[in-house]
């Protein structure tokens, strides 16, 4: 057991998989000699050499296209897109190529690859380097989409993603890189498609993802201490596949549902979950489900502006309290 | 046998025992004719409303597909565009499988799940036909990267049209392949038109591929794409270079499509006489003459013609008789577990 950062967990997760399987290769911009702009790949180039850890030009289409061609023909590439906002310049691969080749070829084509990317706000980078793009990815049949919130989940879910035979979008939250957590020694392999109940509770279910998870946990502690409201916090972790059973089970127990989403409001992941709950667990609910999201605006750069648009523990506390106590 | 006969009758200075040889020449002829007959049949079946959706024919461009495919070894990989019937057939995929896919039948190459623009047959090295312009150039780089990494000796060959040279992925892939020295061969089929617009109207250089080669420190290669022998020799050279670890090639093959861009296009934008001029340089016509020059008898040629027509006729009948795909394949192969489940 050791306490490590989310950033170091990325390094350890990639290293674990590259040590296990020579077919795992890694490419991206500034990832090799420089160790990544977020320093989340430091030492991999030294450990695995220039044939397996490769710097690329600033060519996002070439990065993802090359990862796909390598995956189709026998390798298991991990590709880094530095900021998830840049998905927009290589979205053809994410939307049209990775997820559709198996289907269109009637099962002939495989695409076992992982796209790692720095997702999310909090770094004051403004509207083109701060977005939460999980909803861009979730809507595409054929992709899997994962977003860990803790170091141990980074390692375990990254290992599961690399071993998965489908294309997986692996969203690392930029603001979580310096955060720390306990990680067991030895190999860690988790399972895609599993949500985790991080804090059991009786009065309401709070679903959260990535950076919103620690905020939901903090809010739950305050709701309990200050208002006597006992919330269950569920880390969704994997949007596709989606662990609906854990979510429905929690709602059946608490009868109230809140989602905490960093993505802008329209078509956020919470909307899909609320619709599932409305379809399948409507009579379990004691009150309307409530979505706590970033508003439908581009993200501003200034501290004071960015802080106010993202869901905060205060906003979560306030929303849950008003819903339960009026 | 045939070689001895033909050696005796070979045109002066270009005997049949040259680098290509009779067997390969007959294969090149058969390949081009199969494409011609199958594409013409696809057009006829479209007029009968038996080919649905869109289709992009390679009538007139057969020599490029056949020349590059015949120079490949088993294990070499083809990456094609939506105008990919020719390249798929050239790797040996049956006419029935291709027409079946165009006719949306259960006997089609992908049982109707892909359609004309996405022909794929991995067992033949056809690693997909890509309908988003330029997408497959980086993908071919990735397959070549795998070969380089694993020490495999196969070459990835990527075909695309002149219009592709103006999209970003073309330039990303060329630079990437050159910097990583990948065993990939990029083949631009310059048929003079970007869909409906003359390529010269929208491109800053006269030769859309070759004139960009210098930007990636690649050789400027332009060939006549309607002569299968020239295409074949060019391919051999590029493949040898790739296999030797000397990096990518970019080849611009000049050719012309006899039909419109897609089934929706009657190609009225062409200047008068242009099509007729190019039809004089019809690759099938050229190659028939070439075979005769090398002493191949009319009987041999007629025999191939009859065999190819029979294959296409038989395939047509088989496809007409084939059932439509069953509805239960709708949700198969979305994910690697064979299904489509996105939730528990």
């Amino acid at each position: 057991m050791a306490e490590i950062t989310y950033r170091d967990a990325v390094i350890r997760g990639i290293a674990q998989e590259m040590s296990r399987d020579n077919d795992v290769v890694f490419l991206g911009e500034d990832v090799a000699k420089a160790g990544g702009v977020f320093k989340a790949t430091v030492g991999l180039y030294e450990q695995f050499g220039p044939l397996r850890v490769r710097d690329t030009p600033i060519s996002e289409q070439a990065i993802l296209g090359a990862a796909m061609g390598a995956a189709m023909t026998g390798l298991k590439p991990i590709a880094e897109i530095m900021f998830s906002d840049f998905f927009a310049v290589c979205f053809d691969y994410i939307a049209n190529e990775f997820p559709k080749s198996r289907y269109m070829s009637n099962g002939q084509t495989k695409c076992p690859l992982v796209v790692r990317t720095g997702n999310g706000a909090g770094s004051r980078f403004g509207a083109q380097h701060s977005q939460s793009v999980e909803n861009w990815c979730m809507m595409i049949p054929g992709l899997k989409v994962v977003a860990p919130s803790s170091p141990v989940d980074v390692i375990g879910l990254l290992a599961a993603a690399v071993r998965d035979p489908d294309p997986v979008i692996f969203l690392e939250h930029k603001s979580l890189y310096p955060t720390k957590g306990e990680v067991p020694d030895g190999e860690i392999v988790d399972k895609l498609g599993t949500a985790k109940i991080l804090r059991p509770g009786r009065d309401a279910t709070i679903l959260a993802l990535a950076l919103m998870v620690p905020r939901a946990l903090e809010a739950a502690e305050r709701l309990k201490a200050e208002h006597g409201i006992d919330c269950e916090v569920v880390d969704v972790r994997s949007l596709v596949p989606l662990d609906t059973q854990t979510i429905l089970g929690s709602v059946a127990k608490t009868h109230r549902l809140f989602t905490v989403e960093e993505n802008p409001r329209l078509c956020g992941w919470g909307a899909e979950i609320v619709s599932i709950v409305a379809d399948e667990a409507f009579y379990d609910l004691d009150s309307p489900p409530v979505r706590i999201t970033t508003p439908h605006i581009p993200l501003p750069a200034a501290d004071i502006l960015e802080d106010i648009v993202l869901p905060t523990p205060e906003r979560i506390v306030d929303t849950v309290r008003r819903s339960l106590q009026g | 046998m045939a070689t001895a006969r033909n050696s005796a009758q070979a045109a002066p200075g270009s005997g049949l025992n040259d680098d290509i040889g009779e067997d390969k020449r007959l294969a090149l002829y058969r390949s081009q004719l199969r494409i011609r007959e199958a594409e013409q049949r696809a057009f006829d079946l479209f007029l009968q409303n038996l080919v649905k959706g869109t289709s992009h024919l390679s009538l007139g461009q057969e020599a490029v597909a056949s020349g590059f495919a015949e120079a490949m070894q088993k294990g070499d990989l083809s990456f094609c565009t939506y105008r990919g019937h020719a390249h798929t057939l050239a790797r040996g995929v049956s006419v029935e499988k291709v027409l079946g896919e165009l006719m949306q039948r259960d006997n089609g190459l992908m049982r109707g799940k892909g359609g004309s623009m996405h022909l794929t047959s991995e067992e033949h090295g056809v690693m997909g036909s890509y309908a988003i312009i330029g997408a497959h150039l980086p993908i071919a780089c990735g397959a070549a990267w795998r070969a380089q990494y694993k020490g495999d000796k196969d070459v990835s060959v990527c075909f695309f049209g002149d219009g592709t040279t103006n999209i970003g992925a073309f330039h990303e892939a060329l630079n990437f392949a050159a910097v990583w020295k990948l065993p990939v061969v990029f083949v631009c089929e310059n048929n003079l038109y970007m869909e409906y617009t003359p390529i010269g109207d929208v491109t800053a250089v006269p030769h859309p591929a070759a004139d960009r080669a210098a930007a990636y420190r690649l050789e400027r290669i332009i060939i006549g794409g309607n002569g299968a022998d020239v295409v074949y020799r060019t391919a051999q050279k590029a493949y040898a270079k790739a296999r030797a670890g000397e990096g990518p090639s970019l080849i611009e093959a000049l050719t012309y499509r006899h039909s419109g861009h897609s089934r929706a296009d009657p190609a009225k934008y062409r200047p008068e006489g242009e099509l007729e001029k190019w039809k004089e340089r019809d690759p099938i016509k050229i190659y028939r003459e070439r075979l005769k020059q090398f002493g191949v008898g009319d009987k041999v040629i007629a025999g191939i013609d009859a065999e190819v027509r029979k294959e296409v006729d038989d395939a047509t009948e088989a496809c007409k008789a084939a059932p439509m795909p069953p509805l239960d394949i709708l949700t198969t192969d979305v994910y690697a577990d064979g299904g489509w489940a996105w939730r528990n």
Side-chain angles (χ1 to χ4, degrees):
Chain A
M1 208 69 162
E3 186 175 68
I4 67 169
T5 60
Y6 188 98
R7 171 184 286 116
D8 286 342
V10 174
I11 300 170
R12 188 167 139 189
I14 297 173
Q16 174 185 298
E17 293 310 297
M18 292 189 78
S19 303
R20 181 184 58 83
D21 184 350
N22 278 330
D23 287 342
V24 180
V25 289
F26 176 42
L27 77 167
E29 295 158 9
D30 295 327
V31 299
K33 290 177 191 159
V37 295
F38 300 114
K39 299 292 165 217
T41 58
V42 170
L44 294 170
Y45 175 78
E46 290 73 15
Q47 189 177 350
F48 297 102
L51 291 179
R52 296 185 68 192
V53 179
R54 299 198 71 162
D55 282 322
T56 68
I58 299 176
S59 299
E60 281 82 11
Q61 296 189 75
I63 293 169
L64 293 193
M68 177 171 170
M72 286 167 67
T73 56
L75 297 185
K76 291 173 182 162
I78 303 172
E80 178 178 308
I81 297 297
M82 194 183 288
F83 288 80
S84 63
D85 313 69
F86 307 166
F87 278 11
V89 297
C90 50
F91 207 55
D92 179 39
Y93 296 93
I94 294 169
N96 288 321
E97 311 298 345
F98 302 161
K100 296 185 170 77
S101 56
R102 180 182 293 277
Y103 186 83
M104 293 195 301
S105 68
N106 192 36
Q108 294 178 66
T109 305
K110 60 182 176 178
C111 192
L113 57 82
V114 178
V115 180
R116 292 180 41 249
T117 190
N119 193 45
S123 302
R124 320 323 190 183
F125 289 160
Q128 296 178 344
H129 290 72
S130 305
Q131 294 172 86
S132 286
V133 305
E134 49 269 27
N135 53 339
W136 298 3
C137 306
M138 187 186 183
M139 64 189 177
I140 300 162
L143 286 184
K144 292 178 177 172
V145 185
V146 184
S149 70
S150 68
V152 68
D153 280 2
V154 165
I155 300 171
L157 291 174
L158 187 57
V162 170
R163 297 175 196 203
D164 196 89
D166 289 308
V168 181
I169 305 297
F170 192 83
L171 302 162
E172 296 163 14
H173 202 292
K174 295 193 289 289
S175 290
L176 290 173
Y177 281 130
T179 61
K180 289 184 175 174
E182 290 287 334
V183 171
D185 299 330
E187 188 180 79
I188 303 172
V189 188
D190 209 323
K191 200 164 175 291
L192 304 184
T194 54
K196 227 190 223 176
I197 299 173
L198 295 182
R199 183 193 191 283
R202 289 174 294 114
D203 299 330
T205 295
I206 304 178
L207 303 182
L209 190 77
L211 179 66
M212 297 299 105
V213 172
R215 295 185 179 196
L217 285 168
E218 187 187 330
E221 291 309 316
R222 284 170 47 183
L223 281 159
K224 177 75 176 158
E226 296 164 19
H227 305 285
I229 299 171
D230 185 22
C231 292
E232 178 146 300
V233 176
V234 180
D235 184 349
V236 179
R237 305 201 313 158
S238 172
L239 293 174
V240 185
L242 184 66
D243 183 1
T244 333
Q245 293 311 310
T246 297
I247 294 165
L248 290 168
S250 180
V251 172
K253 186 171 76 169
T254 66
H255 310 295
R256 286 185 173 83
L257 175 64
F258 297 84
T259 66
V260 188
E261 304 162 53
E262 187 175 333
N263 50 215
R265 186 167 187 86
L266 297 194
C267 306
W269 57 263
E272 184 59 45
I273 290 177
V274 167
S275 104
I276 291 169
V277 170
D279 277 348
E280 299 173 30
F282 186 74
Y283 296 106
D284 285 337
L285 291 168
D286 283 347
S287 60
V290 179
R291 295 179 57 211
I292 303 164
T293 73
T294 298
H296 198 61
I297 58 171
L299 289 167
D303 290 15
I304 190 171
L305 300 176
E306 191 182 44
D307 284 344
I308 210 162
V309 297
L310 303 184
T312 55
E314 293 70 27
R315 176 137 66 102
I316 301 167
V317 167
D318 196 46
T319 308
V320 173
R321 186 190 56 74
R322 278 192 287 118
S323 174
L324 267 70
Q325 299 179 343
Chain B
M1 28 160 239
T3 307
R5 185 198 72 212
N6 290 322
S7 294
Q9 300 171 4
S14 58
L16 270 177
N17 289 323
D18 71 0
D19 56 314
I20 296 179
E22 180 172 299
D23 287 350
K24 186 51 82 178
R25 284 215 165 84
L26 292 178
L28 282 163
Y29 176 68
R30 179 186 293 271
S31 170
Q32 292 177 84
L33 193 68
R34 269 178 95 238
I35 297 168
R36 170 64 53 91
E37 295 290 327
E39 291 283 63
Q40 191 58 54
R41 183 60 50 89
F43 184 75
D44 295 345
L45 290 166
F46 158 65
L47 294 178
Q48 296 167 43
N49 202 28
L50 286 167
V51 164
K52 309 282 179 62
T54 189
S55 50
H56 304 80
L57 305 178
S58 290
L59 292 167
Q61 302 184 196
E62 296 89 348
V64 180
S66 297
F68 276 96
E70 286 296 328
M72 287 181 197
Q73 297 175 2
K74 197 168 169 11
D76 288 340
L77 304 177
S78 303
F79 293 83
C80 324
T81 67
Y82 56 89
R83 196 181 305 285
H85 309 166
H87 298 286
T88 304
L89 290 164
R91 294 303 304 274
V93 176
S94 76
V95 175
E96 181 184 332
K97 290 265 184 199
V98 171
L99 285 182
E101 190 64 25
L102 270 56
M103 292 166 72
Q104 312 184 322
R105 307 288 165 137
D106 199 33
N107 68 341
L109 199 46
M110 298 94 72
R111 302 182 72 190
K113 289 177 84 170
S116 159
M117 296 198 283
H118 298 290
L119 298 179
T120 304
S121 184
E122 292 205 359
E123 62 173 305
H124 294 91
V126 180
M127 302 304 287
S129 302
Y130 296 81
I132 307 293
I133 298 284
H136 61 314
L137 280 79
I139 295 170
C141 288
W145 174 32
R146 179 266 321 150
Q148 182 188 60
Y149 176 71
K150 290 196 166 236
D152 298 337
K153 283 295 166 200
D154 59 277
V155 177
S156 292
V157 188
C158 185
F159 302 96
F160 51 91
D162 42 276
T164 301
T165 63
N166 290 324
I167 205 162
F170 168 86
H171 298 274
E172 290 196 16
L174 263 291
N175 181 59
F176 193 90
V179 173
W180 286 25
K181 238 180 165 183
L182 297 173
V184 57
V185 175
F186 298 105
V187 182
C188 174
E189 299 176 84
N190 181 359
N191 65 18
L192 313 188
Y193 289 90
M194 175 219 94
E195 302 200 5
Y196 299 17
T197 303
I199 190 64
D201 290 1
V202 292
T203 308
V205 289
H207 284 282
D211 287 345
R212 267 76 174 256
Y216 307 106
R217 295 182 75 175
L218 296 174
E219 192 185 338
R220 185 179 188 275
I221 304 173
I222 301 168
I223 60 168
N226 282 11
D229 282 359
V230 172
V231 174
Y232 177 82
R233 288 196 179 101
T234 306
Q236 278 188 315
K237 205 173 143 197
Y239 299 167
K241 178 185 166 195
R243 281 190 235 282
E246 290 163 20
S249 300
L250 172 63
I251 295 152
E252 180 173 328
L254 299 175
T255 184
Y256 194 81
R257 62 172 149 73
H258 292 174
S259 54
H261 165 72
S262 70
R263 70 170 217 183
D265 171 26
K268 288 189 173 153
Y269 42 79
R270 293 169 158 163
E272 206 175 322
E274 187 179 77
L275 175 61
E276 290 66 32
K277 197 188 84 190
W278 276 91
K279 278 196 167 171
E280 286 165 21
R281 287 143 70 186
D282 179 334
I284 310 284
K285 197 169 127 189
I286 289 174
Y287 216 70
R288 239 183 229 133
E289 290 309 310
R290 189 119 181 102
L291 288 181
K292 285 179 187 169
Q293 269 178 24
F294 280 101
V296 176
D298 288 342
K299 227 172 141 184
V300 175
I301 294 172
I304 294 174
D305 292 359
E307 280 171 28
V308 167
R309 274 173 202 139
K310 183 170 182 333
E311 187 192 354
V312 174
D313 286 343
D314 289 352
T316 306
E317 292 314 308
C319 291
K320 283 180 177 170
M324 296 297 171
L327 295 184
D328 63 10
I329 65 167
L330 257 181
T331 53
T332 59
D333 293 316
V334 178
Y335 292 102
D337 64 6
W340 66 306
W342 55 271
R343 56 169 286 191
N344 61 10

